[in-house]
Amino acid sequence: SIPAHALFVTEENKERKDDKSASDRQRRAEALRRVELFAPLEEDELARLADALHAAPFTKGEVLTRQGAEAHWLYLVISGEVAVRVAKDGIDTEVARLGPGSFFGEMSLMTGEPRSATVAALADVQCYRLDATAFRDLLARRPQLAEPIARLLAERRANLAAVTEGLDAEAKRRRMESDSSDLFKKMKAFFKL
């Protein structure tokens, strides 16, 4: 007997393209809503950022970012898992694993600083990538967003320092306060606010 195959073809028309586009935009906006960094944004701001997101798939074992590299974008993990590794004194240490709903690359996006860690895919990973230009446009419209974002970035930086440098709770709190002010100044300079 000969195997039978059925092939269904859907005609691509303007209405179907518009539906797919709206659905894709909605998925990107939902991904942004799940990220604490974007919590202060209003719906129209989320929609503009959603339009600026680009799909960025990676395969297991692939390096998404390298420590020390210059880059100006942030990644949102949609599916899969990545390992965050920091090299210090020739020793490579895994400091975190990130899965769906997580993000990384925020320091480079917000300040232009080189990457502080290497991130590698532990499985096939689907991400969205947001570049600094889209965020610059957002901050130009609403510069008051810079300060709460700087506080969140300082908290993430202090958490990383607690792991890599063994900071106690008080040292972590002091680091966070100091970094918040420093990051706010760097963001203002980088985005020319």
Side-chain angles (χ1 to χ4, degrees):
S1 95
I2 300 173
H5 293 280
L7 179 63
F8 296 94
V9 178
T10 303
E11 183 179 333
E12 195 70 29
N13 58 29
K14 182 178 177 354
E15 183 179 320
R16 180 161 164 67
K17 283 182 184 179
D18 290 347
D19 286 348
K20 283 174 58 177
S21 178
S23 176
D24 288 344
R25 184 183 204 197
Q26 183 63 31
R27 263 195 305 278
R28 292 189 307 264
E30 285 301 320
L32 289 168
R33 276 186 198 90
R34 288 190 296 266
V35 175
E36 183 182 6
L37 182 66
F38 303 116
L41 301 185
E42 296 174 3
E43 285 303 311
D44 63 318
E45 294 166 334
L46 279 172
R48 277 195 287 279
L49 283 185
D51 287 341
L53 288 179
H54 300 283
F58 296 91
T59 59
K60 181 179 180 179
E62 194 172 357
V63 173
L64 287 71
T65 66
R66 289 204 186 279
Q67 185 174 343
E70 187 175 318
H72 303 294
W73 50 81
L74 169 139
Y75 289 93
L76 304 174
V77 179
I78 305 306
S79 66
E81 186 177 37
V82 298
V84 180
R85 298 190 305 252
V86 175
K88 186 175 179 184
D89 301 326
I91 299 171
D92 198 32
T93 305
E94 183 176 306
V95 296
R97 287 189 177 205
L98 305 174
S102 300
F103 65 96
F104 60 92
E106 68 280 359
M107 292 297 175
S108 293
L109 175 78
M110 303 295 176
T111 65
E113 292 179 1
R115 298 286 192 201
S116 60
T118 296
V119 179
L122 295 173
D124 288 350
V125 176
Q126 292 293 324
C127 294
Y128 286 128
R129 188 174 81 188
L130 178 67
D131 67 24
T133 304
F135 212 79
R136 182 177 291 118
D137 294 344
L138 173 66
L139 288 178
R141 282 187 217 93
R142 234 175 27 123
Q144 65 271 28
L145 288 172
E147 195 167 0
I149 289 172
R151 277 195 302 274
L152 178 62
L153 296 179
E155 182 180 343
R156 283 180 67 114
R157 184 182 268 182
N159 288 339
L160 179 61
V163 171
T164 59
E165 300 171 24
L167 300 181
D168 64 17
E170 180 58 24
K172 181 178 161 183
R173 185 191 62 73
R174 284 193 311 270
R175 172 76 63 93
M176 194 169 88
E177 287 175 6
S178 167
D179 282 356
S180 181
S181 174
D182 181 52
L183 287 167
F184 181 59
K185 289 175 189 169
K186 286 181 179 180
M187 285 174 64
K188 284 175 65 172
F190 183 64
F191 289 109
K192 296 174 179 62
L193 298 176

